[in-house]
């Protein structure tokens, strides 16, 4: 059993006909031939060349693969999902017949697979990872990862997505990522693994420039934007190639703009970049106030989102709102104890500083996705932790550099110059990167008279100088994402404190 997405056209033009006729309809207006007569994939490619001679070979090959899947890979008994373009729902059905050509139908409605439509579910009922994989622009694509087929079956039968929490093995290399997206229309992986394909561990300006350019070059887009979520968040890489000929204008206007935006290298700090202390905890409107209080006490929370059956945000309960209602009413329930005012929900891609006033005023902001499904909550404590994580490395390095400068302040100029090729007359002329070279000189080391092994200190200085260079450049991810380097810097600082005891922090 497999599951497939068969879209009803970029503007949804075929959706109503598909539901009324009990069919998945492939489109391709200019292909006015019974495709069951084709004996091979090469014959299909030749046919598309005749029908769409003005299109490039890559585009025609992309279409040929989609049509071939529609003809031969989709089997009777497989599930089909059709996201509705202008409605917040997805139609789910089971394929009940082989390909058929309807010669009397309007062009673009002739290539069909009979489908028994089983259910229509709200998009919000589908977990974000599966929903994103359905978001490919291709007309025909397979939903193949993270137990997609079994989850689509559950949605068809119960309207509930059981979800999937297992790890995702990344592609082995960039070419594999490209080929897998071309084959299936999408590929899911973590942001960390996406960056790793290009040899990066963090989202620095250099990393974003390389990765975004490569994605653009290969007509790939990422949902959600991989710069607006956590390093270990799951994103979906999608093909930006046109889904069918009628889609060309849409791709240019919509996803072409996405690719153009990638070249701007927007390095804004986003709401979704803030690491949260715990996974989001929520209660449903029908839950008891006692349950909410128990969760808030045991999880040490000051507020709880109230959600509906699909985890969409409908309200918030806080200690303040509970206390206020308890003073004015007796025997209140959860819904009655909800906060009358709370900050508007935030999306992960919003600029963090645009929501700082809300976080300062209310102490939190709830994060939702495009379907208003709660995905997280950023609190004032989260911001404090984030600030500490980002500031601490600079504080450690600043004190470390101050102690080094003080240690060599009275060193003769001729010795100071041995640590740098530029003109050096006093300690203030040295940068952190100069110290490994300076202390590697026997005369300078002897002058210091430190009770350490020279080469071990020099190695530590080199590590710290490299660390300083890395964090000196802008990056989305907090420097604490390299805890070993920060720990090494702290160790060197502890050693320097032994030989520069009279120097305090700034």
């Amino acid at each position: 059993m497999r599951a497939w997405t068969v879209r009803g056209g970029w503007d949804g033009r075929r959706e109503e006909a598909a539901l009324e006729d009990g069919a998945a309809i492939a489109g391709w207006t200019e292909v006015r031939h019974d495709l069951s007569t084709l004996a091979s994939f090469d014959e299909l490619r030749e046919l598309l060349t005749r029908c769409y001679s003005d299109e490039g070979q890559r585009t025609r090959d992309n279409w040929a693969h989609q049509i071939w899947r529609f003809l031969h890979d989709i089997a009777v008994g497989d599930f089909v999902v059709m996201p509705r373009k202008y409605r917040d729902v997805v139609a789910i059905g089971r394929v009940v017949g082989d390909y058929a050509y309807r010669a009397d139908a309007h062009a673009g409605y002739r290539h069909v697979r009979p489908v028994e439509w089983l259910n229509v579910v709200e998009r919000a009922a589908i977990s974000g990872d599966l929903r994103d994989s359905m978001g490919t622009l291709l007309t025909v694509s397979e939903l193949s990862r993270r137990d997609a087929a079994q989850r689509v079956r559950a949605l068809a039968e119960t309207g509930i997505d059981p979800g999937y929490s297992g790890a995702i093995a990344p592609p082995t290399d960039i070419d594999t990522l490209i080929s897998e997206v071309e084959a299936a229309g999408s590929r899911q992986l973590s942001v960390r693994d996406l960056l790793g394909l290009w040899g990066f561990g963090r989202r620095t300006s250099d990393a974003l420039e390389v990765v975004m350019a490569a994605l653009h070059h290969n007509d790939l887009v990422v949902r959600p934007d991989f710069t607006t979520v956590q390093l270990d968040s799951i994103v979906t890489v999608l093909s930006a190639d046109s889904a069918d000929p009628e889609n060309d204008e849409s791709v240019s206007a919509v996803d072409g703009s996405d690719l153009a935006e990638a070249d701007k290298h927007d390095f804004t700090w986003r709401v979704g970049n803030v690491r949260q202390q715990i996974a989001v905890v929520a209660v449903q409107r029908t839950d008891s106030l006692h349950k909410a209080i128990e969760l808030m006490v045991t999880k040490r929370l000051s507020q709880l989102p109230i959600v509906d059956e699909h985890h969409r945000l409908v309200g918030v309960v806080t200690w303040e709102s509970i206390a206020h209602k308890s003073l004015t009413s007796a025997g209140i329930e959860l819904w009655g104890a909800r906060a009358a005012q709370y900050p508007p929900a935030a999306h992960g891609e919003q600029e963090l500083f645009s929501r700082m006033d809300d976080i300062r005023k209310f102490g939190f902001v709830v994060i939702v996705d495009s379907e208003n499904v709660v995905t997280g909550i950023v609190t004032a404590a989260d911001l404090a932790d984030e600030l500490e994580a980002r500031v601490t490395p600079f504080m450690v390095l600043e004190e470390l550099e101050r102690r080094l400068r003080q240690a060599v302040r009275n060193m003769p100029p001729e010795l100071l110059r041995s640590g740098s090729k530029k003109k050096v007359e006093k300690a203030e002329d040295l940068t952190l990167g100069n110290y490994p070279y300076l202390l590697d000189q026997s005369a300078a080391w002897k002058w210091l008279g430190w009770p350490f092994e020279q080469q071990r200190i020099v190695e530590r200085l080199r590590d710290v100088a490299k660390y300083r260079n890395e964090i000196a450049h802008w990056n989305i991810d907090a420097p604490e994402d390299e805890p070993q380097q920060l720990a090494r810097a702290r160790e060197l600082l502890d050693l320097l404190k032994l030989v520069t005891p009279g120097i305090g922090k700034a």
Side-chain angles (χ1 to χ4, degrees):
M1 181 187 66
R2 301 165 77 177
W4 307 82
T5 296
V6 181
R7 305 181 68 83
W10 69 267
D11 58 354
R13 66 181 65 181
R14 298 189 297 271
E15 293 174 5
E16 291 299 334
L19 295 174
E20 292 175 4
D21 297 348
I25 307 174
W28 281 279
T29 302
E30 298 302 318
V31 182
R32 308 182 184 189
H33 303 73
D34 183 351
L35 300 179
S36 64
T37 63
L38 300 178
S40 67
F41 181 77
D42 287 338
E43 287 188 22
L44 175 59
R45 292 180 66 191
E46 293 173 4
L47 173 62
L48 291 179
T49 299
R50 295 196 298 272
C51 293
Y52 296 103
S53 58
D54 293 338
E55 298 292 343
Q57 186 62 51
R58 177 175 176 176
T59 298
R60 292 198 299 267
D61 285 346
N62 181 288
W63 293 344
H65 284 292
Q66 291 183 65
I67 295 172
W68 194 258
R69 292 179 206 132
F70 190 79
L71 298 174
H72 302 290
D73 293 345
I74 298 178
V76 173
D78 285 354
F79 285 94
V80 168
V81 301
M82 182 175 67
R84 300 298 303 271
K85 179 66 176 180
Y86 298 112
R87 299 185 183 181
D88 296 329
V89 296
V90 174
I92 304 176
R94 188 189 291 271
V95 179
V96 295
D98 295 328
Y99 164 80
Y101 179 67
R102 303 190 302 192
D104 57 342
H106 291 294
Y109 293 74
R110 296 176 177 178
H111 309 290
V112 303
R113 294 294 300 267
V115 170
E116 177 188 3
W117 295 107
L118 303 171
N119 203 352
V120 176
V121 301
E122 295 184 67
R123 291 180 190 268
I126 306 171
S127 298
D129 65 317
L130 183 57
R131 196 191 318 142
D132 286 342
S133 65
M134 294 177 182
T136 174
L137 299 176
L138 305 186
T139 298
V140 182
S141 60
E142 184 174 7
L143 302 169
S144 60
R145 297 184 182 276
R146 297 173 69 82
D147 290 342
Q150 288 76 14
R151 293 165 65 183
V152 169
R153 178 175 182 171
L155 284 164
E157 295 174 350
T158 68
I160 298 173
D161 178 7
Y164 183 86
S165 58
I168 301 178
T172 55
D173 52 39
I174 302 167
D175 291 337
T176 301
L177 171 66
I178 295 170
S179 63
E180 289 182 352
V181 172
E182 289 179 346
S186 67
R187 176 62 154 95
Q188 291 182 321
L189 70 169
S190 70
V191 175
R192 191 183 301 276
D193 288 334
L194 177 66
L195 297 174
L197 294 177
W198 282 270
F200 297 107
R202 292 187 300 184
R203 288 168 291 190
T204 63
S205 55
D206 289 342
L208 292 186
E209 183 174 354
V210 171
V211 175
M212 287 178 170
L215 292 170
H216 187 169
H217 176 74
N218 290 285
D219 293 326
L220 300 175
V221 293
V222 181
R223 297 287 184 273
D225 183 345
F226 73 97
T227 69
T228 67
V229 294
Q230 299 296 304
L231 269 176
D232 292 313
S233 297
I234 300 301
V235 294
T236 302
V237 182
L238 306 169
S239 172
D241 280 339
S242 56
D244 57 36
E246 294 79 17
N247 179 292
D248 282 354
E249 181 178 354
S250 174
V251 170
S252 175
V254 179
D255 285 90
S257 65
D258 286 341
L259 294 173
E261 286 296 318
D263 285 340
K264 296 181 180 179
H265 307 308
D266 184 356
F267 300 146
T268 304
W269 197 5
R270 307 288 178 179
V271 171
N273 299 147
V274 179
R275 290 168 299 171
Q276 298 157 47
Q277 294 175 335
I278 61 173
V280 64
V281 179
V283 288
Q284 291 196 5
R285 177 174 176 171
T286 54
D287 286 335
S288 69
L289 180 58
H290 297 296
K291 178 179 178 179
I293 292 175
E294 178 183 343
L295 285 171
M296 293 170 73
V297 171
T298 57
K299 302 295 185 182
R300 300 183 178 181
L301 303 173
S302 299
Q303 62 284 309
L304 280 177
I306 305 175
V307 299
D308 67 8
E309 67 275 17
H310 297 314
H311 216 68
R312 290 176 294 203
L313 181 67
V314 295
V316 175
V317 61
T318 69
W319 284 126
E320 183 178 357
S321 69
I322 293 173
H324 178 74
K325 294 299 174 67
S326 297
L327 290 173
T328 58
S329 305
I332 57 172
E333 295 298 326
L334 173 64
W335 188 245
R338 73 189 185 279
Q341 288 186 323
Y342 58 92
H347 293 277
E349 64 273 15
Q350 282 187 296
E351 292 186 8
L352 177 63
F353 293 108
S354 71
R355 303 309 306 271
M356 293 288 277
D357 286 343
D358 282 335
I359 298 174
R360 185 181 299 110
K361 178 180 178 180
F362 294 95
F364 70 95
V365 64
V366 179
I367 306 174
V368 299
D369 65 12
S370 59
E371 302 300 324
N372 203 40
V373 172
V374 175
T375 61
I377 183 167
V378 172
T379 67
D382 294 325
L383 283 184
D385 288 347
E386 190 76 18
L387 179 62
E388 180 181 4
R390 291 176 180 269
V391 171
T392 296
F394 293 100
M395 293 177 63
V396 170
L397 291 170
E398 174 64 22
E399 184 179 356
L400 195 154
E401 191 165 7
R402 287 178 56 248
R403 288 183 178 273
L404 285 170
R405 188 180 303 119
Q406 185 64 29
V408 302
R409 186 171 301 280
N410 297 320
M411 183 177 286
E414 61 271 16
L415 291 182
L416 286 176
R417 285 192 288 270
S418 66
S420 175
K421 294 181 179 179
K422 67 176 185 178
K423 184 179 180 180
V424 174
E425 298 297 336
K426 57 186 182 301
E428 287 73 13
D429 296 333
L430 295 174
T431 66
L432 188 58
N434 295 140
Y435 286 99
Y437 300 99
L438 175 61
L439 270 63
D440 198 29
Q441 308 302 314
S442 299
W445 180 259
K446 183 178 179 181
W447 184 91
L448 286 170
W450 286 355
F452 310 125
E453 292 186 19
Q454 179 182 8
Q455 288 308 310
R456 289 179 62 84
I457 296 298
V458 170
E459 289 173 6
R460 287 181 180 276
L461 283 167
R462 287 173 178 155
D463 289 343
V464 167
K466 180 180 178 182
Y467 181 39
R468 175 60 181 263
N469 289 338
E470 289 179 359
I471 68 172
H473 300 286
W474 180 93
N475 69 90
I476 289 175
D477 305 303
E480 195 183 47
D481 287 332
E482 300 295 341
Q484 296 84 2
Q485 290 177 291
L486 178 57
R488 293 276 290 175
R490 287 183 182 274
E491 290 173 356
L492 180 57
L493 179 57
D494 288 340
L495 292 172
L496 290 179
K497 287 178 179 179
L498 295 176
V499 292
T500 55
I503 302 176
K505 294 183 179 179

